[in-house]
Amino acid sequence: MKFFDQLDAKLRAFVEKQPVFFVATAAPDARINLSPKGMDSFRVLGPNRVAYLDWGGSGNETNAHLLDDGRITLMFCAFDRSALIVRLYGRGRAVLPQDADWAELAGLFTIETGVRQIFDITIDSIQSSCGYAVPLMTFDRERQTLRKHYATTTPAENLAKWETRTRSIDGLPTRPPSEVPA
């Protein structure tokens, strides 16, 4: 196990290559939220800053936890080569379509129907570990289920749904979008 202060070229190349990563957040007296992410949604913005796109799904726990506590961990695992796990520890915030810095961050991604927010994360520390118990697996392709779902909805319908999700499953407040992502 090693700790780093920032993403060097080797760590950056590793995290950018992974087709899936995991996001964990928690707030005091709330459940720990752990979610897998994919769909070309991750970007390295600098040696101590990353961001990822968030599509609307079953809840908005990450948004609520970051509003309450701010802590976030992202984990990347090598499934197809030499064993390695990289964790990014930091503090994050949701950037919503109505926010002044939305356009700048959104320009780094392909914004599709269903994108709800971008999480902007400042990295405090980075940890690498062996990952010897992580299985070898082959990436086949991205699932299209979420895209197919959003192909059957309109941006206005999505916005109306997201505006009703003002609480996490533990009752913490969220900050939903009030504008359709552009």
Side-chain angles (χ1 to χ4, degrees):
M1 174 177 16
K2 295 180 183 175
F3 280 91
F4 304 88
D5 294 330
Q6 61 184 16
L7 287 168
D8 61 19
K10 185 177 176 182
L11 291 169
R12 179 181 180 143
F14 174 77
V15 298
E16 288 180 328
K17 180 183 176 207
Q18 303 314 308
V20 64
F21 61 100
F22 303 87
V23 176
T25 57
D29 301 320
R31 297 166 223 243
I32 297 169
N33 184 54
L34 176 61
S35 299
K37 303 294 177 185
M39 298 174 61
D40 188 34
S41 60
F42 178 78
R43 299 289 183 273
V44 175
L45 306 181
N48 291 93
R49 188 174 171 217
V50 298
Y52 75 89
L53 280 181
D54 179 67
W55 278 260
S58 57
N60 204 357
E61 302 308 296
T62 303
N63 181 301
H65 289 175
L66 294 181
L67 278 173
D68 189 73
D69 183 77
R71 295 175 303 141
I72 187 167
T73 300
L74 282 66
M75 184 179 76
F76 301 81
C77 300
F79 294 105
D80 66 345
R81 60 179 210 87
S82 300
L84 181 63
I85 297 171
V86 173
R87 292 177 182 88
L88 309 179
Y89 300 100
R91 303 196 68 78
R93 66 187 181 97
V95 179
L96 301 166
Q98 65 264 26
D99 295 340
D101 49 350
W102 170 264
E104 177 187 344
L105 284 173
L108 303 172
F109 297 93
T110 301
I111 303 300
E112 301 178 48
T113 301
V115 168
R116 169 175 55 186
Q117 59 204 334
I118 300 170
F119 289 108
D120 185 4
I121 300 146
T122 301
I123 300 168
D124 299 326
S125 69
I126 300 160
Q127 176 198 28
S128 68
S129 58
C130 68
Y132 293 159
V134 174
L136 289 172
M137 296 188 294
T138 303
F139 176 69
D140 184 25
R141 67 186 177 278
E142 290 181 348
R143 291 182 195 270
Q144 296 302 311
T145 310
L146 194 59
R147 287 184 175 106
K148 286 178 183 177
H149 165 74
Y150 280 113
T152 66
T153 65
T154 67
E157 289 170 331
N158 298 333
L159 186 60
K161 181 178 178 180
W162 298 334
E163 287 177 334
T164 66
R165 296 197 172 157
T166 60
R167 296 270 172 202
S168 74
I169 58 175
D170 291 312
L172 297 171
T174 67
R175 193 170 69 95
S178 62
E179 296 178 15
V180 174

PDB file of all heavy atoms in Angstrom, residues 86-118:
ATOM      1  N   VAL A  86      -6.748   1.603  -6.998  1.00  0.00           N
ATOM      2  CA  VAL A  86      -6.420   3.002  -6.691  1.00  0.00           C
ATOM      3  C   VAL A  86      -7.660   3.648  -6.104  1.00  0.00           C
ATOM      4  O   VAL A  86      -8.747   3.575  -6.694  1.00  0.00           O
ATOM      5  CB  VAL A  86      -5.947   3.767  -7.948  1.00  0.00           C
ATOM      6  CG1 VAL A  86      -5.783   5.248  -7.650  1.00  0.00           C
ATOM      7  CG2 VAL A  86      -4.636   3.184  -8.477  1.00  0.00           C
ATOM      8  N   ARG A  87      -7.482   4.270  -4.943  1.00  0.00           N
ATOM      9  CA  ARG A  87      -8.571   5.010  -4.295  1.00  0.00           C
ATOM     10  C   ARG A  87      -8.224   6.491  -4.273  1.00  0.00           C
ATOM     11  O   ARG A  87      -7.103   6.863  -3.912  1.00  0.00           O
ATOM     12  CB  ARG A  87      -8.790   4.509  -2.873  1.00  0.00           C
ATOM     13  CG  ARG A  87      -9.341   3.116  -2.789  1.00  0.00           C
ATOM     14  CD  ARG A  87      -9.454   2.649  -1.331  1.00  0.00           C
ATOM     15  NE  ARG A  87      -9.932   1.288  -1.247  1.00  0.00           N
ATOM     16  CZ  ARG A  87      -9.145   0.210  -1.274  1.00  0.00           C
ATOM     17  NH1 ARG A  87      -7.835   0.352  -1.367  1.00  0.00           N
ATOM     18  NH2 ARG A  87      -9.656  -0.996  -1.206  1.00  0.00           N
ATOM     19  N   LEU A  88      -9.198   7.312  -4.633  1.00  0.00           N
ATOM     20  CA  LEU A  88      -9.068   8.768  -4.563  1.00  0.00           C
ATOM     21  C   LEU A  88      -9.940   9.238  -3.412  1.00  0.00           C
ATOM     22  O   LEU A  88     -11.160   9.046  -3.435  1.00  0.00           O
ATOM     23  CB  LEU A  88      -9.535   9.414  -5.872  1.00  0.00           C
ATOM     24  CG  LEU A  88      -8.947   8.872  -7.177  1.00  0.00           C
ATOM     25  CD1 LEU A  88      -9.533   9.616  -8.368  1.00  0.00           C
ATOM     26  CD2 LEU A  88      -7.429   8.945  -7.172  1.00  0.00           C
ATOM     27  N   TYR A  89      -9.322   9.829  -2.405  1.00  0.00           N
ATOM     28  CA  TYR A  89     -10.054  10.356  -1.242  1.00  0.00           C
ATOM     29  C   TYR A  89     -10.146  11.867  -1.391  1.00  0.00           C
ATOM     30  O   TYR A  89      -9.154  12.531  -1.688  1.00  0.00           O
ATOM     31  CB  TYR A  89      -9.305  10.037   0.057  1.00  0.00           C
ATOM     32  CG  TYR A  89      -9.109   8.572   0.319  1.00  0.00           C
ATOM     33  CD1 TYR A  89      -7.889   7.958   0.033  1.00  0.00           C
ATOM     34  CD2 TYR A  89     -10.124   7.802   0.858  1.00  0.00           C
ATOM     35  CE1 TYR A  89      -7.694   6.609   0.281  1.00  0.00           C
ATOM     36  CE2 TYR A  89      -9.937   6.444   1.106  1.00  0.00           C
ATOM     37  CZ  TYR A  89      -8.720   5.868   0.817  1.00  0.00           C
ATOM     38  OH  TYR A  89      -8.534   4.530   1.059  1.00  0.00           O
ATOM     39  N   GLY A  90     -11.331  12.413  -1.161  1.00  0.00           N
ATOM     40  CA  GLY A  90     -11.445  13.853  -1.299  1.00  0.00           C
ATOM     41  C   GLY A  90     -12.751  14.403  -0.807  1.00  0.00           C
ATOM     42  O   GLY A  90     -13.493  13.767  -0.049  1.00  0.00           O
ATOM     43  N   ARG A  91     -13.007  15.605  -1.285  1.00  0.00           N
ATOM     44  CA  ARG A  91     -14.234  16.315  -0.961  1.00  0.00           C
ATOM     45  C   ARG A  91     -14.864  16.721  -2.285  1.00  0.00           C
ATOM     46  O   ARG A  91     -14.168  17.131  -3.212  1.00  0.00           O
ATOM     47  CB  ARG A  91     -13.939  17.520  -0.088  1.00  0.00           C
ATOM     48  CG  ARG A  91     -13.204  17.086   1.203  1.00  0.00           C
ATOM     49  CD  ARG A  91     -13.188  18.110   2.282  1.00  0.00           C
ATOM     50  NE  ARG A  91     -14.457  18.382   2.886  1.00  0.00           N
ATOM     51  CZ  ARG A  91     -15.070  17.614   3.804  1.00  0.00           C
ATOM     52  NH1 ARG A  91     -14.550  16.496   4.187  1.00  0.00           N
ATOM     53  NH2 ARG A  91     -16.217  17.979   4.323  1.00  0.00           N
ATOM     54  N   GLY A  92     -16.181  16.574  -2.337  1.00  0.00           N
ATOM     55  CA  GLY A  92     -16.856  16.835  -3.592  1.00  0.00           C
ATOM     56  C   GLY A  92     -18.062  17.726  -3.447  1.00  0.00           C
ATOM     57  O   GLY A  92     -18.527  18.010  -2.339  1.00  0.00           O
ATOM     58  N   ARG A  93     -18.541  18.143  -4.599  1.00  0.00           N
ATOM     59  CA  ARG A  93     -19.754  18.961  -4.655  1.00  0.00           C
ATOM     60  C   ARG A  93     -20.475  18.665  -5.953  1.00  0.00           C
ATOM     61  O   ARG A  93     -19.853  18.310  -6.963  1.00  0.00           O
ATOM     62  CB  ARG A  93     -19.429  20.440  -4.563  1.00  0.00           C
ATOM     63  CG  ARG A  93     -18.667  20.961  -5.750  1.00  0.00           C
ATOM     64  CD  ARG A  93     -18.202  22.412  -5.577  1.00  0.00           C
ATOM     65  NE  ARG A  93     -17.504  22.845  -6.772  1.00  0.00           N
ATOM     66  CZ  ARG A  93     -18.063  23.543  -7.766  1.00  0.00           C
ATOM     67  NH1 ARG A  93     -19.332  23.908  -7.685  1.00  0.00           N
ATOM     68  NH2 ARG A  93     -17.368  23.878  -8.836  1.00  0.00           N
ATOM     69  N   ALA A  94     -21.782  18.792  -5.902  1.00  0.00           N
ATOM     70  CA  ALA A  94     -22.597  18.623  -7.105  1.00  0.00           C
ATOM     71  C   ALA A  94     -22.628  19.942  -7.860  1.00  0.00           C
ATOM     72  O   ALA A  94     -22.858  21.003  -7.269  1.00  0.00           O
ATOM     73  CB  ALA A  94     -24.016  18.207  -6.725  1.00  0.00           C
ATOM     74  N   VAL A  95     -22.391  19.885  -9.151  1.00  0.00           N
ATOM     75  CA  VAL A  95     -22.550  21.039 -10.030  1.00  0.00           C
ATOM     76  C   VAL A  95     -23.765  20.745 -10.891  1.00  0.00           C
ATOM     77  O   VAL A  95     -23.796  19.752 -11.631  1.00  0.00           O
ATOM     78  CB  VAL A  95     -21.292  21.264 -10.891  1.00  0.00           C
ATOM     79  CG1 VAL A  95     -21.490  22.455 -11.831  1.00  0.00           C
ATOM     80  CG2 VAL A  95     -20.066  21.482 -10.001  1.00  0.00           C
ATOM     81  N   LEU A  96     -24.762  21.596 -10.772  1.00  0.00           N
ATOM     82  CA  LEU A  96     -26.050  21.399 -11.446  1.00  0.00           C
ATOM     83  C   LEU A  96     -26.175  22.329 -12.648  1.00  0.00           C
ATOM     84  O   LEU A  96     -25.467  23.339 -12.733  1.00  0.00           O
ATOM     85  CB  LEU A  96     -27.182  21.659 -10.454  1.00  0.00           C
ATOM     86  CG  LEU A  96     -27.150  20.741  -9.220  1.00  0.00           C
ATOM     87  CD1 LEU A  96     -28.066  21.255  -8.144  1.00  0.00           C
ATOM     88  CD2 LEU A  96     -27.500  19.328  -9.599  1.00  0.00           C
ATOM     89  N   PRO A  97     -27.078  22.006 -13.576  1.00  0.00           N
ATOM     90  CA  PRO A  97     -27.216  22.828 -14.784  1.00  0.00           C
ATOM     91  C   PRO A  97     -27.487  24.309 -14.513  1.00  0.00           C
ATOM     92  O   PRO A  97     -27.122  25.150 -15.326  1.00  0.00           O
ATOM     93  CB  PRO A  97     -28.402  22.183 -15.514  1.00  0.00           C
ATOM     94  CG  PRO A  97     -28.385  20.775 -15.048  1.00  0.00           C
ATOM     95  CD  PRO A  97     -27.932  20.833 -13.611  1.00  0.00           C
ATOM     96  N   GLN A  98     -28.063  24.631 -13.386  1.00  0.00           N
ATOM     97  CA  GLN A  98     -28.344  26.032 -13.066  1.00  0.00           C
ATOM     98  C   GLN A  98     -27.136  26.751 -12.459  1.00  0.00           C
ATOM     99  O   GLN A  98     -27.181  27.958 -12.241  1.00  0.00           O
ATOM    100  CB  GLN A  98     -29.552  26.141 -12.126  1.00  0.00           C
ATOM    101  CG  GLN A  98     -29.369  25.537 -10.751  1.00  0.00           C
ATOM    102  CD  GLN A  98     -29.897  24.121 -10.637  1.00  0.00           C
ATOM    103  OE1 GLN A  98     -29.984  23.393 -11.609  1.00  0.00           O
ATOM    104  NE2 GLN A  98     -30.258  23.714  -9.418  1.00  0.00           N
ATOM    105  N   ASP A  99     -26.057  26.035 -12.173  1.00  0.00           N
ATOM    106  CA  ASP A  99     -24.889  26.634 -11.538  1.00  0.00           C
ATOM    107  C   ASP A  99     -24.008  27.346 -12.559  1.00  0.00           C
ATOM    108  O   ASP A  99     -23.901  26.934 -13.722  1.00  0.00           O
ATOM    109  CB  ASP A  99     -24.066  25.566 -10.811  1.00  0.00           C
ATOM    110  CG  ASP A  99     -24.817  24.946  -9.646  1.00  0.00           C
ATOM    111  OD1 ASP A  99     -25.791  25.564  -9.153  1.00  0.00           O
ATOM    112  OD2 ASP A  99     -24.426  23.841  -9.224  1.00  0.00           O
ATOM    113  N   ALA A 100     -23.342  28.405 -12.111  1.00  0.00           N
ATOM    114  CA  ALA A 100     -22.507  29.229 -12.984  1.00  0.00           C
ATOM    115  C   ALA A 100     -21.385  28.434 -13.647  1.00  0.00           C
ATOM    116  O   ALA A 100     -21.005  28.719 -14.785  1.00  0.00           O
ATOM    117  CB  ALA A 100     -21.925  30.402 -12.195  1.00  0.00           C
ATOM    118  N   ASP A 101     -20.842  27.429 -12.979  1.00  0.00           N
ATOM    119  CA  ASP A 101     -19.721  26.675 -13.554  1.00  0.00           C
ATOM    120  C   ASP A 101     -20.147  25.415 -14.303  1.00  0.00           C
ATOM    121  O   ASP A 101     -19.311  24.611 -14.701  1.00  0.00           O
ATOM    122  CB  ASP A 101     -18.667  26.365 -12.496  1.00  0.00           C
ATOM    123  CG  ASP A 101     -19.226  25.774 -11.221  1.00  0.00           C
ATOM    124  OD1 ASP A 101     -20.457  25.754 -11.044  1.00  0.00           O
ATOM    125  OD2 ASP A 101     -18.421  25.349 -10.379  1.00  0.00           O
ATOM    126  N   TRP A 102     -21.457  25.241 -14.516  1.00  0.00           N
ATOM    127  CA  TRP A 102     -21.944  24.087 -15.268  1.00  0.00           C
ATOM    128  C   TRP A 102     -21.348  24.040 -16.676  1.00  0.00           C
ATOM    129  O   TRP A 102     -20.839  22.999 -17.111  1.00  0.00           O
ATOM    130  CB  TRP A 102     -23.471  24.074 -15.351  1.00  0.00           C
ATOM    131  CG  TRP A 102     -23.989  23.046 -16.308  1.00  0.00           C
ATOM    132  CD1 TRP A 102     -24.354  23.225 -17.611  1.00  0.00           C
ATOM    133  CD2 TRP A 102     -24.172  21.645 -16.052  1.00  0.00           C
ATOM    134  NE1 TRP A 102     -24.759  22.038 -18.176  1.00  0.00           N
ATOM    135  CE2 TRP A 102     -24.647  21.053 -17.229  1.00  0.00           C
ATOM    136  CE3 TRP A 102     -23.975  20.841 -14.930  1.00  0.00           C
ATOM    137  CZ2 TRP A 102     -24.937  19.699 -17.334  1.00  0.00           C
ATOM    138  CZ3 TRP A 102     -24.266  19.486 -15.025  1.00  0.00           C
ATOM    139  CH2 TRP A 102     -24.742  18.935 -16.212  1.00  0.00           C
ATOM    140  N   ALA A 103     -21.427  25.121 -17.419  1.00  0.00           N
ATOM    141  CA  ALA A 103     -21.006  25.118 -18.824  1.00  0.00           C
ATOM    142  C   ALA A 103     -19.543  24.700 -18.962  1.00  0.00           C
ATOM    143  O   ALA A 103     -19.199  23.929 -19.865  1.00  0.00           O
ATOM    144  CB  ALA A 103     -21.240  26.483 -19.451  1.00  0.00           C
ATOM    145  N   GLU A 104     -18.698  25.195 -18.074  1.00  0.00           N
ATOM    146  CA  GLU A 104     -17.275  24.852 -18.134  1.00  0.00           C
ATOM    147  C   GLU A 104     -17.060  23.347 -17.944  1.00  0.00           C
ATOM    148  O   GLU A 104     -16.354  22.705 -18.723  1.00  0.00           O
ATOM    149  CB  GLU A 104     -16.508  25.621 -17.065  1.00  0.00           C
ATOM    150  CG  GLU A 104     -15.043  25.275 -17.001  1.00  0.00           C
ATOM    151  CD  GLU A 104     -14.333  25.929 -15.827  1.00  0.00           C
ATOM    152  OE1 GLU A 104     -14.872  26.884 -15.231  1.00  0.00           O
ATOM    153  OE2 GLU A 104     -13.230  25.468 -15.503  1.00  0.00           O
ATOM    154  N   LEU A 105     -17.671  22.779 -16.911  1.00  0.00           N
ATOM    155  CA  LEU A 105     -17.509  21.344 -16.657  1.00  0.00           C
ATOM    156  C   LEU A 105     -18.240  20.501 -17.706  1.00  0.00           C
ATOM    157  O   LEU A 105     -17.710  19.485 -18.169  1.00  0.00           O
ATOM    158  CB  LEU A 105     -18.012  20.984 -15.267  1.00  0.00           C
ATOM    159  CG  LEU A 105     -17.095  21.359 -14.108  1.00  0.00           C
ATOM    160  CD1 LEU A 105     -17.780  21.099 -12.769  1.00  0.00           C
ATOM    161  CD2 LEU A 105     -15.784  20.599 -14.186  1.00  0.00           C
ATOM    162  N   ALA A 106     -19.431  20.898 -18.072  1.00  0.00           N
ATOM    163  CA  ALA A 106     -20.217  20.130 -19.047  1.00  0.00           C
ATOM    164  C   ALA A 106     -19.502  20.043 -20.390  1.00  0.00           C
ATOM    165  O   ALA A 106     -19.641  19.043 -21.107  1.00  0.00           O
ATOM    166  CB  ALA A 106     -21.603  20.744 -19.220  1.00  0.00           C
ATOM    167  N   GLY A 107     -18.712  21.046 -20.726  1.00  0.00           N
ATOM    168  CA  GLY A 107     -17.970  21.043 -21.977  1.00  0.00           C
ATOM    169  C   GLY A 107     -16.920  19.949 -22.058  1.00  0.00           C
ATOM    170  O   GLY A 107     -16.414  19.651 -23.145  1.00  0.00           O
ATOM    171  N   LEU A 108     -16.604  19.331 -20.943  1.00  0.00           N
ATOM    172  CA  LEU A 108     -15.612  18.250 -20.913  1.00  0.00           C
ATOM    173  C   LEU A 108     -16.230  16.881 -21.180  1.00  0.00           C
ATOM    174  O   LEU A 108     -15.513  15.882 -21.282  1.00  0.00           O
ATOM    175  CB  LEU A 108     -14.913  18.225 -19.549  1.00  0.00           C
ATOM    176  CG  LEU A 108     -14.219  19.519 -19.141  1.00  0.00           C
ATOM    177  CD1 LEU A 108     -13.742  19.424 -17.699  1.00  0.00           C
ATOM    178  CD2 LEU A 108     -13.068  19.820 -20.082  1.00  0.00           C
ATOM    179  N   PHE A 109     -17.560  16.827 -21.241  1.00  0.00           N
ATOM    180  CA  PHE A 109     -18.287  15.573 -21.381  1.00  0.00           C
ATOM    181  C   PHE A 109     -19.244  15.644 -22.570  1.00  0.00           C
ATOM    182  O   PHE A 109     -19.549  16.724 -23.061  1.00  0.00           O
ATOM    183  CB  PHE A 109     -19.133  15.310 -20.126  1.00  0.00           C
ATOM    184  CG  PHE A 109     -18.353  15.140 -18.863  1.00  0.00           C
ATOM    185  CD1 PHE A 109     -18.106  16.220 -18.030  1.00  0.00           C
ATOM    186  CD2 PHE A 109     -17.869  13.896 -18.494  1.00  0.00           C
ATOM    187  CE1 PHE A 109     -17.399  16.060 -16.846  1.00  0.00           C
ATOM    188  CE2 PHE A 109     -17.157  13.724 -17.312  1.00  0.00           C
ATOM    189  CZ  PHE A 109     -16.924  14.804 -16.492  1.00  0.00           C
ATOM    190  N   THR A 110     -19.776  14.505 -22.941  1.00  0.00           N
ATOM    191  CA  THR A 110     -20.915  14.444 -23.850  1.00  0.00           C
ATOM    192  C   THR A 110     -22.159  14.416 -22.972  1.00  0.00           C
ATOM    193  O   THR A 110     -22.375  13.452 -22.231  1.00  0.00           O
ATOM    194  CB  THR A 110     -20.859  13.177 -24.734  1.00  0.00           C
ATOM    195  OG1 THR A 110     -19.646  13.207 -25.482  1.00  0.00           O
ATOM    196  CG2 THR A 110     -22.049  13.110 -25.673  1.00  0.00           C
ATOM    197  N   ILE A 111     -22.936  15.475 -23.024  1.00  0.00           N
ATOM    198  CA  ILE A 111     -24.141  15.561 -22.192  1.00  0.00           C
ATOM    199  C   ILE A 111     -25.294  14.917 -22.955  1.00  0.00           C
ATOM    200  O   ILE A 111     -25.672  15.368 -24.025  1.00  0.00           O
ATOM    201  CB  ILE A 111     -24.473  17.025 -21.827  1.00  0.00           C
ATOM    202  CG1 ILE A 111     -23.289  17.684 -21.126  1.00  0.00           C
ATOM    203  CG2 ILE A 111     -25.739  17.090 -20.977  1.00  0.00           C
ATOM    204  CD1 ILE A 111     -22.861  17.021 -19.823  1.00  0.00           C
ATOM    205  N   GLU A 112     -25.807  13.851 -22.380  1.00  0.00           N
ATOM    206  CA  GLU A 112     -26.904  13.107 -22.986  1.00  0.00           C
ATOM    207  C   GLU A 112     -28.172  13.304 -22.163  1.00  0.00           C
ATOM    208  O   GLU A 112     -28.115  13.728 -21.010  1.00  0.00           O
ATOM    209  CB  GLU A 112     -26.574  11.612 -23.006  1.00  0.00           C
ATOM    210  CG  GLU A 112     -25.315  11.264 -23.761  1.00  0.00           C
ATOM    211  CD  GLU A 112     -25.011   9.781 -23.704  1.00  0.00           C
ATOM    212  OE1 GLU A 112     -25.941   8.978 -23.960  1.00  0.00           O
ATOM    213  OE2 GLU A 112     -23.867   9.423 -23.414  1.00  0.00           O
ATOM    214  N   THR A 113     -29.306  12.952 -22.760  1.00  0.00           N
ATOM    215  CA  THR A 113     -30.563  12.979 -22.013  1.00  0.00           C
ATOM    216  C   THR A 113     -30.419  12.059 -20.816  1.00  0.00           C
ATOM    217  O   THR A 113     -29.953  10.930 -20.946  1.00  0.00           O
ATOM    218  CB  THR A 113     -31.731  12.509 -22.897  1.00  0.00           C
ATOM    219  OG1 THR A 113     -31.805  13.369 -24.027  1.00  0.00           O
ATOM    220  CG2 THR A 113     -33.039  12.548 -22.133  1.00  0.00           C
ATOM    221  N   GLY A 114     -30.787  12.553 -19.656  1.00  0.00           N
ATOM    222  CA  GLY A 114     -30.692  11.777 -18.425  1.00  0.00           C
ATOM    223  C   GLY A 114     -29.570  12.225 -17.512  1.00  0.00           C
ATOM    224  O   GLY A 114     -29.553  11.875 -16.340  1.00  0.00           O
ATOM    225  N   VAL A 115     -28.612  13.008 -18.048  1.00  0.00           N
ATOM    226  CA  VAL A 115     -27.559  13.534 -17.182  1.00  0.00           C
ATOM    227  C   VAL A 115     -28.198  14.549 -16.251  1.00  0.00           C
ATOM    228  O   VAL A 115     -28.921  15.450 -16.675  1.00  0.00           O
ATOM    229  CB  VAL A 115     -26.412  14.173 -17.998  1.00  0.00           C
ATOM    230  CG1 VAL A 115     -25.487  14.976 -17.105  1.00  0.00           C
ATOM    231  CG2 VAL A 115     -25.636  13.102 -18.745  1.00  0.00           C
ATOM    232  N   ARG A 116     -27.934  14.394 -14.961  1.00  0.00           N
ATOM    233  CA  ARG A 116     -28.577  15.213 -13.932  1.00  0.00           C
ATOM    234  C   ARG A 116     -27.625  16.234 -13.325  1.00  0.00           C
ATOM    235  O   ARG A 116     -28.018  17.343 -12.986  1.00  0.00           O
ATOM    236  CB  ARG A 116     -29.114  14.259 -12.868  1.00  0.00           C
ATOM    237  CG  ARG A 116     -29.586  14.882 -11.596  1.00  0.00           C
ATOM    238  CD  ARG A 116     -30.204  13.885 -10.660  1.00  0.00           C
ATOM    239  NE  ARG A 116     -29.330  12.760 -10.341  1.00  0.00           N
ATOM    240  CZ  ARG A 116     -29.707  11.708  -9.625  1.00  0.00           C
ATOM    241  NH1 ARG A 116     -30.941  11.620  -9.175  1.00  0.00           N
ATOM    242  NH2 ARG A 116     -28.870  10.734  -9.356  1.00  0.00           N
ATOM    243  N   GLN A 117     -26.356  15.832 -13.143  1.00  0.00           N
ATOM    244  CA  GLN A 117     -25.392  16.701 -12.464  1.00  0.00           C
ATOM    245  C   GLN A 117     -23.984  16.194 -12.741  1.00  0.00           C
ATOM    246  O   GLN A 117     -23.809  15.106 -13.287  1.00  0.00           O
ATOM    247  CB  GLN A 117     -25.649  16.727 -10.963  1.00  0.00           C
ATOM    248  CG  GLN A 117     -25.572  15.367 -10.297  1.00  0.00           C
ATOM    249  CD  GLN A 117     -26.365  15.289  -9.007  1.00  0.00           C
ATOM    250  OE1 GLN A 117     -26.602  16.267  -8.336  1.00  0.00           O
ATOM    251  NE2 GLN A 117     -26.784  14.081  -8.648  1.00  0.00           N
ATOM    252  N   ILE A 118     -23.015  16.998 -12.374  1.00  0.00           N
ATOM    253  CA  ILE A 118     -21.608  16.620 -12.451  1.00  0.00           C
ATOM    254  C   ILE A 118     -21.042  16.748 -11.045  1.00  0.00           C
ATOM    255  O   ILE A 118     -21.273  17.759 -10.376  1.00  0.00           O
ATOM    256  CB  ILE A 118     -20.832  17.522 -13.429  1.00  0.00           C
ATOM    257  CG1 ILE A 118     -21.417  17.416 -14.836  1.00  0.00           C
ATOM    258  CG2 ILE A 118     -19.339  17.168 -13.415  1.00  0.00           C
ATOM    259  CD1 ILE A 118     -20.877  18.457 -15.811  1.00  0.00           C
TER     260      ILE A 118
END
